[in-house]
Amino acid sequence: MMQVNEEYWRNYWEEKNIFKADEKGKKFYVLEMFPYPSGDLHVGHLRNYVIGDVYTRYYKMKGYSILHPMGWDAFGLPAENAAIQRKISPKEWTLENISVSKATFKKLGITYDWDREVTTCLPDYYKWTQWLFIQLYENGLAYRSNAPVNWCPSCMTVLANEQVESGECYRCGTEVTKKDLEQWYFGITKYADRLLEDLEDLPLWPEKVKLMQRNWIGRSYGVTVNFPLKSGNGEIKVYTTRPDTLYGVTFMAVAPENPLLNSLDITPEKRQELDAYIDQARKKSEVERTGTKTEKDGVFTGVYAINPLTGEDVEIFVADYVLATYGTGSVMGVPAHDERDFSFSKKYSIPIKVVINPEDEQLDISSMTNAYIEPGIMTDSGEFTGMISSDAIEKIIEHLEAADKGKRTVNYRLRDWLISRQRYWGAPIPMIHCPDCGMVPEKVENLPILLPDSRKVDYVPKGTSPLGSVDDFVNTKCPKCGKDAKRDTDTMDTFVDSSWYFLRYTDALNSDSIFSKQKADYWLPVDLYIGGVEHAILHLMFSRFITKFLHDIKMISHQEPFKQLFTQGMVMNRINGDLEVMSKSKGNAVPVGPFVEKEGVDVARGTILFIAPPEADLEWKESSVDSIKRFISRIQTVLDAEEGNNDDKEIRYQTHLLVKKVNSDIERFKLNTAIAAMMEYVNFIHKKMESADFSLSKDTKAMFIKVMAPFFPYLAEEYNKLIFGGGSIFEKQWPVHDETALMTDQIEIPVQIKGKLRAVITVGRSATKEEILKLAYSNPNIKKHLQGMTIRKEIYVPGKMVNIII
RNA sequence: GCCGGAGUGGCGGAAUUGGCAGACGCGCUGGAUUCAAAAUCCAGUGUCCUUUGGGAUGUGUGGGUUCAAGUCCCACCUCCGGCACCA
């Protein structure tokens, strides 16, 4: 029986540079999302990387120049937390984890080009993260702003909107609070339209992910309407997508944070009441304020605005369900035609005015229990009365613009990306605060701004940036005027690091530039990007944004980084009876190292690929290896037999069918059925060997070995060496099936009576309809069922089936 | 609440264009081999009926289109995921 020497092949691939990108001819860039280095890789990681490895080996055999790199998303909180607990430096801890993970990758023999390894926490990488920041700053896309931000009291840092899930921190699940802080933002909203529209250019992305991004960007079209104040000469602007309901506006609500409240002419008594409400609102969490379950409340300001279309008075409320950060921070209230406004008006006895009726009904305020939010016929709406409301929308916008009472507006749910973090283990923001010059970017030649040695830093989180405690870091000279100045002490969100790493791989060792345009243009876009769907918004949107920005500053030609996205399913494991995603932090991780040591890499690969289709979640069971172990040993039985020379038509048929099937299964990401097809094939040969003096010819063995190579690379190499004398199987050409081999002389035709299968007949390939029907009618079971029946119709689908209707 | 996706044997899952449902595998049952066991090999395995030829039934539920539906249409149920007052 064949002995597999994994180490030999691992070294062979590496020493002979089999999978080193040679940058010649047609290219294929395979990428798996790089991991956070948490130490031991587990079976969940294995799945992700093995899928990528299959494609790398497959495209290599198809003659492409391959780029398949690996690196480390190495900044971030776990390193700091671990360091605080164990009193070792985040850097040491991280680098140690990387070396453990890397050793496991090497043991697996995944086809990475390690010369291109990137580690985001090392200065040769974050130098360019800082460079990128400066480019964004100089193009007006990085700015500081003082605003209420999401604050995680447990992580002691701010979070981006994208990192808050139902009011909780995406990392630790702690309820997020609001804090007013001056923070750094990236102007991703300037790219909102392009990020939305260019999704059309990504046909090979899952619809689900594109939909999630569309929803997240949340583009809406409407109008900003000016409501003059009743007293004084100010005005309040509101944004609405339903100008057709403007005649029904009876109140308006302003966010507690909206600064225009200060300019309203409010009586001192009212002012006191309002301040109490505002104070209370600010203490509430986002979920308490805007969650669907809580009842909306507010306080009347005592001040009125004027409906610009009707001239009627409109009560102005302060209400904490109004978001200060969306639209104008104020909304108009139309009780009759908005569910939320309806219940608010009931609560505060605000008048209700119907301005849209259903086509066949007149709404009656006294009997209404719900708002009518559908389109309908305009009523009580001045010159627009009688129009279909959906048509009136555009007419009213035109009217408002003509009268200078409003302006057509597009709004987005997407917010600018808050990227500063009050933590130590991240890339320092390369900006300097100068008392004279203000904000000044560090000179590019001074990059990287090194993180100070952790021994000098008090990086235990206190809610302020740990770097602020290091005097020789903070104190510097202004790059512009040379006077004493202070460095910015925040570090960047780790999603900044990972939003451009796929570009660095194309030119990882470049010390003069972030990458060369020529290399990036050759390799981009990533042809196949494999990772979890949990990054559908965060990482994938930020990467698209940065790619577009780099395109705009002429660093790259492409506008989209990832041509095809494949989101693989999660690996689940039972813990105390509950099925949970496998992860180190949950304590249910099955480490890869001991597993492959025991079973071998090929068995580990085959198992994880066979038990479920790559996109489906799967439950990990140790016992799943049994079927693949049996299969591999059966492959050996078949291949170990002496070469025969008695391949017949049937063998040729089966072999070419296998090649065709595996090829198409790989192309459509059905790696589980590709393995099933190989099993069928091997079972077929095995049976044939038992019943006759038969063994495969050398040529047929070659076809099979090539087809299995992307899945079981070690075994394939051993047989390639044994039977064909060496070299790497991956330098050989992927087989092409011969369509003529699939043309059998005989075909089987199922015969149905009234849609029920009654017989299967075997006929010659070229049999005519008449011949087939004749044969069908002579079949005993068909005869039996047709006894005494009248045939009403015969349906014959050429080469497929016969259906007799009685 | 809104928007997606999915429901197929005891289990994981096949069925690529409306054309033989359950490929492949796990498990289970019986047999061969063995002193015995493991491993391996062979046969069977949706459910029910059966004279062993077959027959009935069957892809979440109920309807529909069609010669023919797991696949298409309508309504509903359940589960999973995303968003959750975005005005």
Side-chain angles (χ1 to χ4, degrees):
Chain A
M1 190 146 267
M2 172 63 71
Q3 287 298 306
V4 171
N5 185 343
E6 290 182 358
E7 201 183 343
Y8 174 84
W9 292 109
R10 215 181 293 144
N11 292 337
Y12 186 96
W13 296 328
E14 200 163 325
E15 280 158 22
K16 306 260 176 172
N17 293 331
I18 305 292
F19 296 101
K20 195 129 292 177
D22 57 12
E23 309 196 346
K24 280 192 220 103
K26 54 182 183 175
K27 64 90 187 180
F28 201 90
Y29 184 175
V30 185
L31 185 64
E32 299 102 51
M33 291 180 184
F34 68 166
Y36 180 82
S38 54
D40 253 351
L41 298 177
H42 59 65
V43 173
H45 295 112
L46 178 74
R47 189 182 197 192
N48 191 198
Y49 305 120
V50 165
I51 294 169
D53 192 63
V54 168
Y55 284 91
T56 308
R57 291 174 189 272
Y58 170 73
Y59 281 107
K60 169 76 184 165
M61 292 175 81
K62 284 230 155 174
Y64 288 83
S65 174
I66 299 293
L67 177 56
H68 188 217
M70 182 42 69
W72 314 98
D73 190 13
F75 270 136
L77 281 182
E80 253 176 278
N81 293 338
I84 290 161
Q85 278 162 27
R86 300 175 210 191
K87 307 258 183 272
I88 49 169
S89 83
K91 184 175 179 180
E92 263 173 56
W93 185 84
T94 303
L95 295 181
E96 175 56 30
N97 278 346
I98 287 174
S99 90
V100 172
S101 297
K102 191 170 172 180
T104 311
F105 272 129
K106 291 227 167 181
K107 188 184 279 177
L108 289 168
I110 308 265
T111 51
Y112 298 126
D113 180 350
W114 286 106
D115 292 349
R116 294 169 185 265
E117 179 180 9
V118 303
T119 305
T120 60
C121 68
L122 295 180
D124 67 341
Y125 185 89
Y126 71 70
K127 170 180 180 176
W128 301 110
T129 308
Q130 291 171 335
W131 178 89
L132 181 65
F133 182 100
I134 292 171
Q135 300 310 305
L136 285 157
Y137 179 78
E138 288 180 342
N139 285 277
L141 289 164
Y143 66 92
R144 260 164 96 79
S145 169
N146 195 333
V149 295
N150 301 302
W151 174 264
C152 174
S154 163
C155 298
M156 297 278 235
T157 186
V158 298
L159 296 170
N161 271 8
E162 288 78 4
Q163 291 164 333
V164 181
E165 294 167 351
S166 322
E168 292 170 357
C169 171
Y170 81 116
R171 188 176 284 286
C172 66
T174 307
E175 189 170 292
V176 169
T177 61
K178 290 279 176 184
K179 249 191 174 184
D180 279 320
L181 286 172
E182 187 161 6
Q183 295 288 316
W184 282 101
Y185 292 84
F186 284 170
I188 191 171
T189 53
K190 289 210 171 99
Y191 282 72
D193 266 327
R194 286 165 68 189
L195 289 168
L196 181 70
E197 274 155 27
D198 291 353
L199 288 171
E200 309 281 338
D201 301 334
L202 299 173
L204 299 180
W205 277 41
E207 281 307 318
K208 177 192 165 89
V209 172
K210 288 192 277 187
L211 188 70
M212 282 164 74
Q213 292 211 355
R214 281 188 193 107
N215 291 342
W216 189 262
I217 294 166
R219 187 185 143 111
S220 77
Y221 171 69
V223 58
T224 305
V225 188
N226 309 332
F227 281 67
L229 292 172
K230 192 177 180 186
S231 57
N233 47 12
E235 62 179 17
I236 297 183
K237 289 183 194 298
V238 298
Y239 169 73
T240 181
T241 55
R242 289 293 304 273
D244 53 328
T245 64
L246 258 171
Y247 283 85
V249 173
T250 52
F251 73 99
M252 90 193 332
V254 179
E257 294 86 354
N258 196 325
L260 79 79
L261 285 175
N262 301 323
S263 59
L264 291 183
D265 189 14
I266 297 168
T267 63
E269 303 85 69
K270 267 287 175 193
R271 179 67 74 182
Q272 222 170 14
E273 191 188 337
L274 281 177
D275 285 347
Y277 178 79
I278 291 166
D279 207 44
Q280 188 198 332
R282 291 180 139 261
K283 285 191 189 122
K284 286 198 211 165
S285 74
E286 184 113 349
V287 174
E288 278 177 286
R289 277 177 58 168
T290 61
T292 33
K293 286 168 203 83
T294 48
E295 196 180 325
K296 311 303 169 274
D297 60 21
V299 175
F300 180 46
T301 58
V303 179
Y304 293 85
I306 292 169
N307 185 323
L309 292 187
T310 63
E312 289 163 358
D313 288 357
V314 173
E315 300 174 45
I316 300 173
F317 279 73
V318 172
D320 66 9
Y321 71 85
V322 181
L323 303 170
T325 47
Y326 185 80
T328 62
S330 310
V331 297
M332 63 187 211
V334 187
H337 305 294
D338 182 287
E339 218 47 78
R340 178 182 47 193
D341 295 345
F342 185 83
S343 50
F344 195 84
S345 72
K346 288 281 179 199
K347 183 166 176 159
Y348 295 104
S349 308
I350 300 167
I352 299 172
K353 184 183 169 195
V354 172
V355 292
I356 296 170
N357 273 314
E359 267 182 51
D360 44 10
E361 197 191 331
Q362 296 284 311
L363 293 172
D364 174 19
I365 298 162
S366 56
S367 63
M368 279 173 84
T369 54
N370 283 93
Y372 178 74
I373 57 176
E374 308 297 319
I377 311 293
M378 304 284 289
T379 183
D380 215 355
S381 297
E383 61 191 275
F384 304 99
T385 302
M387 288 178 80
I388 308 285
S389 65
S390 45
D391 297 338
I393 291 178
E394 198 52 37
K395 297 280 177 226
I396 292 179
I397 292 176
E398 281 166 20
H399 174 86
L400 289 167
E401 286 201 314
D404 208 16
K405 290 174 176 170
K407 199 172 182 314
R408 208 177 291 269
T409 308
V410 173
N411 241 316
Y412 302 91
R413 187 181 172 278
L414 181 72
R415 290 295 115 76
D416 275 346
W417 176 12
L418 197 171
I419 60 102
S420 41
R421 295 290 179 274
Q422 291 70 52
R423 296 297 300 235
Y424 166 70
W425 194 232
I429 290 175
M431 298 296 291
I432 288 152
H433 302 258
C434 170
D436 293 346
C437 312
M439 195 72 67
V440 184
E442 182 56 88
K443 288 181 184 154
V444 167
E445 60 263 33
N446 290 342
L447 298 181
I449 307 303
L450 292 172
L451 263 180
D453 189 295
S454 63
R455 280 167 297 191
K456 294 190 197 161
V457 185
D458 178 10
Y459 54 81
V460 175
K462 285 176 286 298
T464 56
S465 299
L467 294 182
S469 68
V470 187
D471 289 345
D472 38 333
F473 175 83
V474 175
N475 294 318
T476 186
K477 301 287 178 198
C478 172
K480 215 168 173 182
C481 67
K483 286 193 201 136
D484 285 350
K486 296 206 182 294
R487 285 196 189 284
D488 199 286
T489 56
D490 284 349
T491 53
M492 284 186 248
D493 181 5
T494 56
F495 280 95
V496 181
D497 308 327
S498 59
S499 64
W500 70 278
Y501 78 109
F502 47 90
L503 288 158
R504 183 66 181 173
Y505 281 140
T506 68
D507 195 11
L509 301 176
N510 195 329
S511 54
D512 303 323
S513 152
I514 186 167
F515 50 77
S516 93
K517 178 168 193 291
Q518 180 244 325
K519 289 194 177 191
D521 280 351
Y522 175 75
W523 286 114
L524 239 58
V526 173
D527 294 279
L528 175 57
Y529 196 28
I530 302 166
V533 74
E534 66 274 17
H535 293 107
I537 292 167
L538 288 155
H539 166 60
L540 290 170
M541 186 113 80
F542 296 149
S543 298
R544 293 181 62 222
F545 161 57
I546 295 297
T547 301
K548 286 180 191 304
F549 167 69
L550 289 169
H551 164 86
D552 291 353
I553 60 168
K554 311 259 186 299
M555 291 293 297
I556 45 174
S557 300
H558 292 90
Q559 295 236 34
E560 284 291 338
F562 313 121
K563 183 173 169 193
Q564 177 161 28
L565 176 68
F566 184 80
T567 52
Q568 101 279 4
M570 292 178 290
V571 175
M572 320 286 283
N573 197 10
R574 276 193 197 280
I575 178 165
N576 305 325
D578 298 326
L579 211 51
E580 297 252 30
V581 177
M582 187 178 285
S583 80
K584 198 172 184 180
S585 57
K586 289 232 169 67
N588 63 350
V590 177
V592 167
F595 174 54
V596 297
E597 223 144 84
K598 181 169 167 233
E599 306 291 356
V601 176
D602 283 341
V603 169
R605 293 169 65 103
T607 303
I608 201 80
L609 294 174
F610 181 63
I611 48 182
E615 75 281 2
D617 292 349
L618 66 82
E619 181 182 352
W620 178 250
K621 287 185 191 138
E622 192 79 38
S623 62
S624 305
V625 299
D626 293 343
S627 57
I628 296 294
K629 280 162 89 170
R630 262 171 233 174
F631 174 49
I632 285 181
S633 93
R634 192 165 271 204
I635 291 174
Q636 301 190 29
T637 308
V638 167
L639 292 180
D640 283 344
E642 289 290 312
E643 271 93 58
N645 54 7
N646 51 354
D647 283 5
D648 54 18
K649 264 190 144 168
E650 195 184 14
I651 299 293
R652 209 172 127 70
Y653 172 81
Q654 293 292 342
T655 307
H656 285 264
L657 189 66
L658 175 73
V659 171
K660 184 180 183 179
K661 172 84 175 146
V662 171
N663 197 90
S664 80
D665 279 356
I666 291 176
E667 297 286 348
R668 63 193 188 106
F669 288 90
K670 291 283 186 181
L671 304 183
N672 56 329
T673 55
I675 292 177
M678 288 186 254
M679 286 174 167
E680 259 180 287
Y681 179 77
V682 169
N683 288 347
F684 166 77
I685 302 295
H686 188 258
K687 194 159 277 185
K688 186 135 178 140
M689 283 167 67
E690 292 237 316
S691 60
D693 179 22
F694 171 82
S695 70
L696 287 178
S697 71
K698 209 168 169 176
D699 286 353
T700 306
K701 280 186 178 178
M703 283 240 208
F704 177 71
I705 293 167
K706 285 177 179 176
V707 155
M708 79 170 186
F711 301 84
F712 306 103
Y714 292 95
L715 197 63
E717 288 284 32
E718 293 291 358
Y719 277 107
N720 181 54
K721 188 177 167 205
L722 180 76
I723 302 173
F724 303 97
S728 172
I729 186 99
F730 299 103
E731 295 193 308
K732 296 190 171 179
Q733 280 294 306
W734 182 258
V736 179
H737 78 274
D738 177 359
E739 202 63 42
T740 61
L742 301 178
M743 302 289 272
T744 50
D745 300 338
Q746 304 273 300
I747 53 171
E748 292 194 324
I749 302 280
V751 181
Q752 298 177 348
I753 293 171
K754 269 174 81 178
K756 288 202 161 108
L757 182 72
R758 296 302 177 191
V760 179
I761 57 174
T762 305
V763 301
R765 169 164 294 278
S766 53
T768 61
K769 178 181 178 183
E770 287 66 35
E771 287 166 342
I772 288 168
L773 284 171
K774 198 177 156 202
L775 202 61
Y777 286 125
S778 65
N779 180 286
N781 201 41
I782 299 294
K783 274 185 179 164
K784 195 177 103 190
H785 280 92
L786 290 179
Q787 204 117 62
M789 299 292 181
T790 322
I791 293 157
R792 300 219 310 251
K793 203 172 174 186
E794 287 163 346
I795 288 154
Y796 170 62
V797 184
K800 279 268 171 76
M801 53 106 53
V802 172
N803 193 2
I804 300 163
I805 313 304
I806 50 174

